Amino acid sequence: MLVVGEAGAGGLLGHSEGLGDLRHRFLFSAGEEPGGGRADPGDDLLQFVGGGNCYAPLYPLDEAVPKRPVTPAQKAVLDRARELQYVCRRCGDRREYPLGRGRWCEPCSYAAALFAPHSTAQRFTRELVEDQTGNVLVVGAGPDEYAEPETVGVLRIHDQELLHAGPAGTYGTPERGAVLDRLDELLEGRRVVHETGMGPGSRFPARLVTLPGQLMSSERDSLHAWLRPYRESAEGAAYVSRLWRGWFAWTRDQWSTTASEPWDQEHGVRVAWDRTTDSAADVLGLAMVLDRIADGTEPVWEEARWIADGHGEPDLLERRRWRETVEA
């Protein structure tokens, strides 16, 4: 192998000609192409460029043949492909620059980025609804962030059977201990989903094992398996609020690619279910939301990006195929 330092194309060509061989691209630029096998691999070029290596196989010059011309049909296909690089494959808008292999313009990229978690939320929800071991655990509490738990409810999602509903008791009392024991018994080895992972904190199951007035800590999660919601991945079905947030697809501004829970100055955070001290009613409302997401009847924000732009749902399957092809 011939090793050379940093040099331009002319330097490489000079070394190549000295061996009677040419690099592939130099043959093409001369209207020829390799006509036989490669030269001796030991004569290949290895050039150091910008801190990295540039490997250049060589081909015998005396075996070069005239380059095959492009047929009219091939040229038409290539011209069409070059033209399509500037056209969004979803909305058809043309840009002044190539859109890349995905061929999404910026607005359609934002729409696709929001539609992906919307679609994923439905897939995860359907799996959750069909899972006969899936349960929703809800802590009923007042609206204050640091309100103490008042009731606890557990519902099996598959058939919406209420497995437990009752007072939460007071921290440190036998009543609270009995509730914790009951939850351990009901939820052992079962899939548990929480209402929310973003607040209000008064509705976190961890509040049941936290001393009043103190901050919640994950250090106590090992005390009870149901304190850790089931998750298959970072975006998995661990919280109903996360599934609904992805499905509803509300965003704070037109350039955001992350769905949030709807919020405004007057009403604060708004969700599709009630948050009261009656955990039995609240947990049933959550199960109904999951059912509607699974069958596609749960409302979606009327200004969701793929709805507002009028171009319909992005073709994520085509995007996924392209990504798999690139990764392969």
Side-chain angles (χ1 to χ4, degrees):
M1 177 176 291
L2 179 62
V3 180
V4 298
E6 292 197 27
L12 283 176
L13 182 58
H15 283 288
S16 303
E17 288 176 334
L19 296 172
D21 303 319
L22 281 177
R23 294 173 63 185
H24 195 281
R25 67 187 184 92
F26 289 121
L27 288 174
F28 269 35
S29 65
E32 297 181 320
E33 61 183 357
R38 286 173 48 192
D40 185 348
D43 291 337
D44 289 347
L45 290 178
L46 180 62
Q47 181 192 16
F48 298 106
V49 179
N53 295 335
C54 179
Y55 174 72
L58 301 179
Y59 298 89
L61 181 59
D62 56 2
E63 295 183 7
V65 296
K67 184 180 176 182
R68 288 172 294 180
V70 177
T71 66
Q74 290 174 327
K75 185 177 184 303
V77 171
L78 292 173
D79 290 343
R80 175 62 176 164
R82 293 190 187 98
E83 174 63 23
L84 288 177
Q85 292 180 17
Y86 298 84
V87 180
C88 176
R89 63 182 176 86
R90 177 170 178 263
C91 67
D93 286 352
R94 194 182 192 283
R95 293 293 189 265
E96 298 301 320
Y97 49 86
L99 296 177
R101 294 183 180 179
R103 285 185 46 223
W104 300 83
C105 64
E106 288 88 347
C108 288
S109 294
Y110 288 119
L114 284 166
F115 184 75
H118 168 86
S119 177
T120 300
Q122 185 177 45
R123 176 168 59 87
F124 279 135
T125 303
R126 286 174 173 171
E127 294 174 358
L128 185 59
V129 170
E130 294 172 359
D131 187 351
Q132 298 187 16
T133 69
N135 300 268
V136 176
L137 170 61
V138 169
V139 174
D144 185 74
E145 180 73 20
Y146 300 100
E148 286 301 303
E150 297 189 26
T151 61
V152 178
V154 178
L155 181 138
R156 187 166 55 223
I157 302 170
H158 180 70
D159 55 7
Q160 296 188 2
E161 179 180 349
L162 188 63
L163 302 179
H164 174 81
T170 303
Y171 183 88
T173 64
E175 290 78 8
R176 175 65 62 83
V179 171
L180 300 180
D181 291 342
R182 176 60 175 159
L183 294 179
D184 288 339
E185 178 185 354
L186 276 176
L187 301 176
E188 181 180 3
R190 303 183 70 82
R191 182 175 184 173
V192 180
V193 178
H194 294 177
E195 174 190 352
T196 179
M198 297 186 65
S202 59
R203 302 186 71 83
F204 291 174
R207 181 61 65 186
L208 294 170
V209 295
T210 302
L211 190 67
Q214 290 191 354
L215 296 176
M216 289 176 289
S217 171
S218 59
E219 295 179 357
R220 292 177 171 266
D221 286 359
S222 59
L223 298 177
H224 306 278
W226 45 266
L227 288 175
R228 300 183 301 274
Y230 174 89
R231 68 176 69 202
E232 294 175 336
S233 64
E235 59 180 4
Y239 305 100
V240 177
S241 62
R242 178 180 296 172
L243 293 170
W244 178 77
R245 185 167 65 243
W247 173 265
F248 192 67
W250 184 89
T251 54
R252 296 179 181 274
D253 56 67
Q254 61 177 335
W255 303 116
S256 176
T257 58
T258 303
S260 306
E261 291 180 356
W263 178 90
D264 59 46
Q265 191 69 35
E266 181 180 355
H267 302 95
V269 174
R270 293 174 287 115
V271 292
W273 59 93
D274 293 328
R275 286 174 167 170
T276 68
T277 58
D278 185 357
S279 59
D282 290 357
V283 75
L284 180 59
L286 285 173
M288 295 174 66
V289 168
L290 291 174
D291 272 350
R292 292 196 297 269
I293 293 176
D295 61 26
T297 58
E298 175 66 19
V300 180
W301 187 37
E302 64 274 8
E303 296 182 33
R305 197 65 49 80
W306 66 91
I307 297 176
D309 65 16
H311 297 300
E313 298 180 353
D315 185 2
L316 297 181
L317 179 60
E318 182 66 26
R319 193 181 196 190
R320 192 178 306 119
R321 286 172 179 165
W322 166 79
R323 186 184 301 113
E324 291 173 353
T325 301
V326 172
E327 291 175 352

